[in-house]
Amino acid sequence: MRALILVFSFLPFIYYGAKDTMFHLHGRKVSVTEHILHGAIGLVLLIMFMHALRGNHWIVVGALVIFVAAGAIDEYIFHRGIPAEESDLHAKEHLALLIFIAVSLASDWLEKSHWNWSEALERLRGASGGAL
């Protein structure tokens, strides 16, 4: 069940990532260096996705750290003065990725509570020391 939820929650990111890739082929032509960086970012995101499916959260966090570093290089070096359409695609990609991360964490939390909201909330309350 969790894997299916994660696959569906990753689809919006794939959609906007594909649109961004197509924009790079037909809109703003990018350099070979930027293509290589985008390929590396894609590989890191594939690793992140696969390990999110497996529930290996430390590897997901490590992949996200690498993604943030590579993404910062991409944004601050290659994406200065990009067209508004491409900037919009990037914002949607980033939001879709954030939603995937939130769904990944929530589905893992619920799965550990046997998909029972009451049990999940009790676990959360216990983890907060009764503060909730």
Side-chain angles (χ1 to χ4, degrees):
M1 172 89 146
R2 185 173 166 279
L4 186 63
I5 290 170
L6 291 180
V7 167
F8 277 110
S9 70
F10 201 64
L11 289 177
F13 177 79
I14 296 295
Y15 173 76
Y16 288 113
K19 281 186 78 162
D20 189 29
T21 300
M22 294 308 294
F23 189 84
H24 289 163
L25 298 174
H26 302 293
R28 180 179 69 91
K29 302 291 184 191
V30 300
S31 68
V32 172
T33 306
E34 190 174 358
H35 274 302
I36 291 169
L37 181 59
H38 289 163
I41 289 171
L43 180 61
V44 167
L45 289 172
L46 177 64
I47 291 167
M48 181 208 66
F49 176 72
M50 297 305 292
H51 284 280
L53 287 175
R54 294 180 181 147
N56 298 330
H57 298 296
W58 287 113
I59 295 174
V60 171
V61 169
L64 281 172
V65 168
I66 294 168
F67 168 75
V68 168
I73 291 167
D74 192 31
E75 291 294 327
Y76 291 110
I77 293 176
F78 296 107
H79 293 169
R80 295 196 175 273
I82 61 173
E85 182 181 354
E86 185 178 7
S87 182
D88 183 59
L89 284 172
H90 289 178
K92 289 173 180 171
E93 281 178 89
H94 296 162
L95 178 59
L97 185 60
L98 179 63
I99 289 169
F100 169 76
I101 297 299
V103 168
S104 176
L105 293 171
S107 63
D108 185 59
W109 172 59
L110 281 169
E111 184 179 57
K112 288 181 179 170
S113 300
H114 312 291
W115 300 97
N116 181 319
W117 281 99
S118 298
E119 184 180 332
L121 291 172
E122 281 302 315
R123 286 183 63 231
L124 182 62
R125 186 167 182 229
S128 71
L132 295 175

